[in-house]
Amino acid sequence: MIPVMEFRQFSEQQTAFRVLKPWWDVFTDYLSVMMLMIGVFGCTLQVMHDKIICLPQRISLPSDNSSEVGLKSPLHLQSNTSTVPTGLKTNLDLQQYSFINQMCYENALHWYAKYFPYLVLMHTLVFMVCSNFWFKFPGSSSKIEHFISMLGKCFDSPWTTRALSEVSGENPEEQDHKKGTASRSNIPMSPGEGSLEKTQSLRSIAEKIVVDQPSASVLDKKEGEQAKALFEKVKKFRLHVEEGDILYLMYVCQTVFKVFKFLVIIAYNSALVNNVNNTVRCNGIEEIQNMTGYKVFECNHTMAHLFSKLSCCYLFLVSVYGLTSLYTSYWLFYRSLKEYSFEYVRQETGISDIPDVKNDFAFMLHMIDQYDPLYSKRFAVFLSEVSENKLKQLSLNHEWTAEKLRQRLQTNSNNKLELQLFMFSGLPDTVFELTELQSLKLELINNVTIPASISQLQDLQELSLYQCSLKLHTTATSFLKENLKVLRVKFDDNRELPNWMYGLRNLEELYLTGSLSSDASKNIVLESLREMKCLKILSLKSSLTKIPQSIVDVSSHLQQLYLHNDGTKLVMLNNLKKMTNLIELELVRCDLERIPHAVFSLTSLQKLDLKENNLRSIEEIVSFQHLRKLTCLKLWYNSIMYIPEHIKKLGSLEHLYFSHNKIEILPSHLFLCNKLRYLDLSNNDIRFIPPEIGVLQSLQYLSVSCNKIENLPDELFFCKKLKTLKLGKNSLSKLSPKISYLALLTYLELKGNHFEFLPQELAFCRALKRSGLIVEETLFETLPSDVRDQMKAE
């Protein structure tokens, strides 16, 4: 006998896969087991019992011997009728009867009556294989196994329970109560939670907004790491599974196949079931007649009655199976199973950013809903970026305590107490416990959200955002509008350029570094700054071709403007004329070939920097005489060949930068700018310094390093206020003893010349120490020992 347990693997899947079996698949599995039992039972009877029993058919006697009912053998006719027989003798032995039974079974019995149990068994096994084939097929089983594995972990994760309890306004006590009353499926929440009424859900969300819930305990490190790993797995799995629909197609195909098979089974079984009869007439078999002498036999099919009953039961079960398959087909084609919406989850949990999914991912979620919608609800937590960010935030807060952050505080260049956070996974909430913080610098941090608790930082005045995407709470926006004075933003695309910055009405300094454009069709356009009533300093490091119109909005109070291009030619500068209150202007790397005429209208200008342009001629410098407040002029890092004599008209200049040009001759008119305190002529081709340099009695800084100077005029040493003198990398061979006149000298660079010795008069430069004397060590040793000791003494 074939034990039913041998077929168990076909009728039962792994326990984990039960979540992907809707009620109709479970029901059809039970129907298959019942049909399988019918088939196995029929096959067992077929094997264990005689299939058919046959006897020779009786032949009627002549009328005079009609009282005899015995059969006459054609070969041995009996004439003796004097005795009454006690039985009918056929002269057939047991082997002949067995032969007759077998031959009649094979030739006279209808094939349906012979093979009915085997047909039932075969069809049932096909049904079972078809129902579970998508769990075993390599292309689909891997997806299902990964999905089931992640589903179980997401369902049991402590983070899922916490996230749902927080957004629904539930406290831990309520969760414990639900856990105690849950079913034995180890679900930590009530199974009916997925079917809560919409009004109850909305009410709980409203209560969550009004009432501050106590914060839950921090997840331990292991649970937090496991939850983070789940988020990453779910992301990758979603990207992979949403690409195809093989699971959906396989399920559709197997359902259609079952419906087709059901119709075929019903059709031929209904037509052939009447062929299962108790009596079977067996005749016309020549082999039997030759072996036994009999031609016609009456046979009894011993299993016919039982098989007819089994066939009726089988047809009934198949009909129910087929109707269930038809319902499955209706469900498959009536609903859009390749799209899944989490709308009800979003409404019930309050997590509004849970995305809808498609293809195989959507199909599996639809199947899960037929098992228990709570699975989808808890799984959806790991599709939400808000939930993921909240988990990261909790882990971040646990890792970076307030005391640990306080140890990172430093004083920046503006003498502000600054906290710099570089490449963090987020912004720790503990930052807002540092009430003494004055400057916050965030660099390479994605998805930063500034909460309302920033209002605790009453001393915060500076905020630096370097390639950070940032969002603000409404309260945080109001706080920054009132308190923020300095904002620095470095961005790569418009997502990192905050729109809320345009409303910072008390902002005084704004520094922007990124790909800005004055054309709305390209890159990022700087919007109106008219709300920034207090803006005094504006710095733009970008690739502009003209002055943005938005800068004109603040022209009435803007005092310092810094435009640093990346070498892009700045061609339209007419808007500069409207900035009459500018005190400082920098146009760096703007590919300027001439000094812009618009600059000459800036009568309040005190500092002008035209660094790293393409200036060759500066004849326009004569127009600077109208800028009577101009005290600093930087024309360094250009291609200037000579200095025009009009330079003498800039009598108010105090700082003049001509370094890194191609100047060969210094005009004597240069030194008529007798207010010069800082003069940088380094990195040129100068060979001679005019004696008129002695006129510069206010000169404190002079750099002529990296030139071709061979001699220094004695008049140079009449500039007795010199504190810094750079003469390095020239062709000097002698330093005049008059160096002693420079009693205030603190820095002297001589390295890279042809000196053989240093004058001992350096001893009279009392402020010059060894650290301020840049010279070869061998040359320093030529000084008298007492002079060396004097310089080494700090």
Side-chain angles (χ1 to χ4, degrees):
M1 180 177 180
I2 303 176
V4 178
M5 294 298 293
E6 294 293 331
F7 301 95
R8 183 176 181 179
Q9 58 178 326
F10 297 102
S11 61
E12 293 185 5
Q13 283 296 320
Q14 297 180 11
T15 306
F17 286 178
R18 71 183 187 278
V19 295
L20 284 179
K21 279 185 170 291
W23 67 264
W24 52 81
D25 277 351
V26 176
F27 182 59
T28 54
D29 282 348
Y30 283 111
L31 291 176
S32 297
V33 172
M34 296 173 66
M35 290 188 288
L36 184 66
M37 293 177 64
I38 291 176
V40 172
F41 180 61
C43 291
T44 303
L45 292 177
Q46 193 88 319
V47 172
M48 300 298 295
H49 295 79
D50 292 334
K51 303 177 180 64
I52 193 171
I53 298 175
C54 298
L55 291 175
Q57 186 177 11
R58 296 176 181 180
I59 301 176
S60 300
L61 295 175
S63 57
D64 56 347
N65 295 325
S66 58
S67 61
E68 294 184 9
V69 293
L71 297 177
K72 303 290 184 174
S73 171
L75 300 178
H76 305 282
L77 297 177
Q78 300 293 331
S79 60
N80 185 13
T81 60
S82 61
T83 62
V84 178
T86 59
L88 298 179
K89 187 174 181 180
T90 61
N91 297 324
L92 298 177
D93 56 22
L94 181 62
Q95 288 79 10
Q96 288 176 314
Y97 275 115
S98 297
F99 175 76
I100 294 168
N101 292 342
Q102 186 65 29
M103 292 298 293
C104 288
Y105 177 81
E106 294 294 336
N107 294 276
L109 191 65
H110 194 275
W111 66 267
Y112 181 78
K114 289 188 291 184
Y115 301 119
F116 166 73
Y118 305 107
L119 291 174
V120 173
L121 186 62
M122 180 187 67
H123 289 316
T124 304
L125 291 177
V126 172
F127 275 135
M128 286 185 169
V129 171
C130 183
S131 296
N132 298 282
F133 182 71
W134 71 315
F135 291 129
K136 299 296 183 180
F137 184 71
S140 58
S141 62
S142 60
K143 292 182 180 181
I144 294 175
E145 289 173 2
H146 281 89
F147 178 72
I148 296 299
S149 174
M150 287 189 304
L151 188 68
K153 293 177 181 178
C154 293
F155 193 92
D156 297 330
S157 173
W159 172 247
T160 310
T161 303
R162 171 166 183 165
L164 291 176
S165 64
E166 285 187 355
V167 298
S168 61
E170 297 171 350
N171 55 38
E173 289 76 9
E174 291 174 336
Q175 290 298 312
D176 293 340
H177 176 71
K178 286 188 177 183
K179 184 175 182 179
T181 58
S183 63
R184 59 183 178 178
S185 60
N186 293 326
I187 301 175
M189 302 177 70
S190 172
E193 182 180 356
S195 60
L196 292 177
E197 293 183 358
K198 181 177 178 181
T199 55
Q200 293 176 331
S201 303
L202 296 178
R203 183 171 63 251
S204 65
I205 295 172
E207 291 172 355
K208 174 200 66 174
I209 298 174
V210 176
V211 182
D212 293 334
Q213 295 295 329
S215 59
S217 59
V218 178
L219 297 176
D220 61 47
K221 186 174 182 180
K222 182 179 180 181
E223 291 174 343
E225 293 300 323
Q226 289 175 346
K228 287 182 183 178
L230 273 178
F231 273 107
E232 292 301 320
K233 287 182 179 178
V234 170
K235 281 183 182 178
K236 294 178 180 178
F237 181 77
R238 179 189 173 194
L239 291 175
H240 173 64
V241 175
E242 280 192 322
E243 292 177 354
D245 56 356
I246 183 173
L247 296 178
Y248 174 76
L249 292 177
M250 289 189 66
Y251 195 82
V252 169
C253 289
Q254 73 182 33
T255 302
V256 172
F257 178 78
K258 287 190 290 186
V259 171
F260 174 75
K261 191 170 182 63
F262 148 72
L263 296 175
V264 171
I265 292 174
I266 292 296
Y268 84 79
N269 274 271
S270 300
L272 299 177
V273 68
N274 293 326
N275 291 311
V276 181
N277 298 313
N278 288 329
T279 59
V280 179
R281 184 177 182 83
C282 178
N283 58 13
I285 303 176
E286 186 177 352
E287 291 85 351
I288 298 179
Q289 185 174 356
N290 294 336
M291 292 292 296
T292 63
Y294 292 96
K295 184 176 182 181
V296 180
F297 297 87
E298 289 291 335
C299 301
N300 178 265
H301 185 197
T302 58
M303 298 292 106
H305 180 72
L306 183 58
F307 279 3
S308 63
K309 302 303 180 183
L310 290 178
S311 63
C312 292
C313 293
Y314 174 67
L315 286 176
F316 174 75
L317 293 176
V318 170
S319 299
V320 176
Y321 192 103
L323 293 175
T324 307
S325 298
L326 286 173
Y327 172 79
T328 306
S329 302
Y330 170 78
W331 181 77
L332 285 172
F333 296 109
Y334 177 75
R335 300 185 60 180
S336 179
L337 300 181
K338 295 175 70 174
E339 296 178 356
Y340 188 91
S341 174
F342 284 101
E343 182 63 29
Y344 80 98
V345 181
R346 290 193 287 264
Q347 291 181 359
E348 187 166 322
T349 64
I351 306 177
S352 60
D353 72 321
I354 300 175
D356 295 336
V357 295
K358 59 183 180 179
N359 288 338
D360 280 344
F361 202 177
F363 177 66
M364 285 190 287
L365 289 173
H366 280 293
M367 299 292 281
I368 289 291
D369 281 349
Q370 298 299 319
Y371 181 80
D372 189 347
L374 184 59
Y375 275 92
S376 298
K377 177 181 177 181
R378 295 178 70 87
F379 187 74
V381 171
F382 288 87
L383 292 171
S384 167
E385 289 188 10
V386 171
S387 177
E388 182 179 10
N389 292 337
K390 185 176 290 187
L391 172 64
K392 292 179 179 178
Q393 191 68 39
L394 289 174
S395 301
L396 199 64
N397 295 342
H398 185 67
E399 179 182 0
W400 292 96
T401 61
E403 292 302 321
K404 191 173 181 180
L405 290 174
R406 191 169 276 111
Q407 296 175 3
R408 298 172 63 95
L409 291 177
Q410 296 178 345
T411 303
N412 63 11
S413 57
N414 294 334
N415 200 29
K416 302 288 186 181
L417 199 59
E418 182 177 80
L419 175 64
Q420 180 177 359
L421 303 180
F422 177 72
M423 291 189 70
F424 274 40
S425 59
L427 182 63
D429 291 332
T430 49
V431 168
F432 308 110
E433 299 177 18
L434 308 179
T435 55
E436 69 274 25
L437 190 64
Q438 296 174 304
S439 176
L440 179 60
K441 183 177 182 180
L442 308 178
E443 187 169 359
L444 292 174
I445 303 178
N446 293 323
N447 300 320
V448 179
T449 300
I450 303 294
S453 54
I454 194 175
S455 57
Q456 301 174 15
L457 307 180
Q458 293 297 326
D459 295 332
L460 184 66
Q461 295 183 356
E462 297 185 7
L463 179 61
S464 301
L465 305 173
Y466 292 169
Q467 295 179 338
C468 297
S469 54
L470 184 138
K471 298 178 182 178
L472 287 183
H473 189 274
T474 305
T475 305
T477 304
S478 302
F479 172 79
L480 292 179
K481 284 182 179 180
E482 298 297 330
N483 293 270
L484 199 62
K485 303 295 182 184
V486 180
L487 176 63
R488 299 180 179 89
V489 181
K490 184 177 181 180
F491 55 92
D492 288 334
D493 54 47
N494 56 355
R495 292 175 298 176
E496 297 173 4
L497 185 62
N499 292 325
W500 49 262
M501 76 175 187
Y502 299 107
L504 301 176
R505 53 177 171 268
N506 289 328
L507 194 68
E508 296 179 358
E509 301 180 23
L510 176 60
Y511 302 86
L512 300 179
T513 302
S515 183
L516 286 170
S517 175
S518 55
D519 187 353
S521 63
K522 299 178 181 178
N523 299 327
I524 307 164
V525 178
L526 189 64
E527 297 179 12
S528 176
L529 305 177
R530 61 172 58 94
E531 293 295 327
M532 300 182 182
K533 304 296 183 182
C534 299
L535 190 64
K536 296 179 180 179
I537 300 176
L538 176 60
S539 174
L540 302 178
K541 293 184 179 180
S542 186
S543 54
L544 299 170
T545 57
K546 64 180 181 178
I547 304 295
Q549 180 63 31
S550 55
I551 297 180
V552 181
D553 297 336
V554 292
S555 60
S556 59
H557 44 81
L558 193 64
Q559 296 180 1
Q560 300 177 28
L561 176 61
Y562 307 115
L563 297 180
H564 290 224
N565 265 10
D566 59 358
T568 304
K569 191 175 185 63
L570 191 61
V571 293
M572 299 182 66
L573 297 167
N574 293 332
N575 286 338
L576 280 178
K577 295 179 179 180
K578 301 176 182 179
M579 302 179 191
T580 55
N581 293 321
L582 273 185
I583 296 176
E584 294 186 19
L585 175 62
E586 287 188 10
L587 302 175
V588 178
R589 297 194 66 192
C590 297
D591 196 25
L592 300 176
E593 297 179 358
R594 313 285 290 188
I595 299 176
H597 289 281
V599 174
F600 306 136
S601 302
L602 307 177
T603 54
S604 299
L605 198 63
Q606 297 179 13
K607 181 180 177 180
L608 176 62
D609 188 352
L610 299 177
K611 181 182 179 181
E612 293 188 74
N613 281 285
N614 196 23
L615 299 177
R616 291 181 174 82
S617 174
I618 53 172
E619 288 293 339
E620 301 88 348
I621 205 170
V622 64
S623 299
F624 281 138
Q625 62 182 322
H626 304 297
L627 308 182
R628 301 188 183 278
K629 296 181 180 181
L630 187 65
T631 58
C632 180
L633 179 59
K634 296 183 178 182
L635 299 173
W636 49 348
Y637 292 89
N638 280 282
S639 302
I640 299 172
M641 306 289 293
Y642 66 96
I643 301 175
E645 62 178 24
H646 306 300
I647 192 72
K648 65 184 179 181
K649 296 183 179 181
L650 306 183
S652 60
L653 278 182
E654 296 180 4
H655 295 75
L656 183 59
Y657 295 73
F658 272 116
S659 65
H660 294 84
N661 279 285
K662 299 178 181 180
I663 300 172
E664 297 181 0
I665 299 175
L666 290 179
S668 58
H669 304 286
L670 172 63
F671 306 108
L672 295 179
C673 301
N674 52 16
K675 290 184 179 181
L676 279 176
R677 293 188 292 113
Y678 187 107
L679 180 59
D680 188 355
L681 298 168
S682 60
N683 292 277
N684 280 283
D685 297 323
I686 300 171
R687 297 177 181 273
F688 174 73
I689 298 179
E692 288 80 2
I693 194 172
V695 177
L696 303 180
Q697 290 300 303
S698 300
L699 195 63
Q700 298 178 14
Y701 179 100
L702 175 64
S703 176
V704 290
S705 59
C706 297
N707 279 285
K708 301 176 181 179
I709 300 172
E710 298 179 357
N711 295 292
L712 296 175
D714 291 341
E715 289 79 3
L716 171 62
F717 304 104
F718 295 156
C719 303
K720 296 181 179 182
K721 292 185 179 181
L722 268 177
K723 296 180 179 180
T724 300
L725 179 58
K726 295 184 178 182
L727 303 172
K729 296 184 180 180
N730 277 285
S731 301
L732 299 172
S733 58
K734 182 180 179 182
L735 184 61
S736 173
K738 294 181 180 181
I739 189 71
S740 60
Y741 296 171
L742 306 180
L744 301 178
L745 198 64
T746 58
Y747 188 93
L748 176 61
E749 181 185 343
L750 300 174
K751 195 173 184 178
N753 283 284
H754 307 307
F755 295 115
E756 296 180 358
F757 64 92
L758 295 178
Q760 62 182 2
E761 284 78 6
L762 282 174
F764 294 98
C765 301
R766 300 292 182 180
L768 185 62
K769 302 299 179 182
R770 179 66 184 94
S771 59
L773 178 60
I774 310 301
V775 68
E776 292 84 353
E777 187 64 31
T778 56
L779 196 56
F780 178 72
E781 294 295 330
T782 62
L783 287 171
S785 60
D786 57 335
V787 177
R788 296 200 305 269
D789 294 341
Q790 173 188 322
M791 289 187 175
K792 290 180 181 180
E794 295 295 338

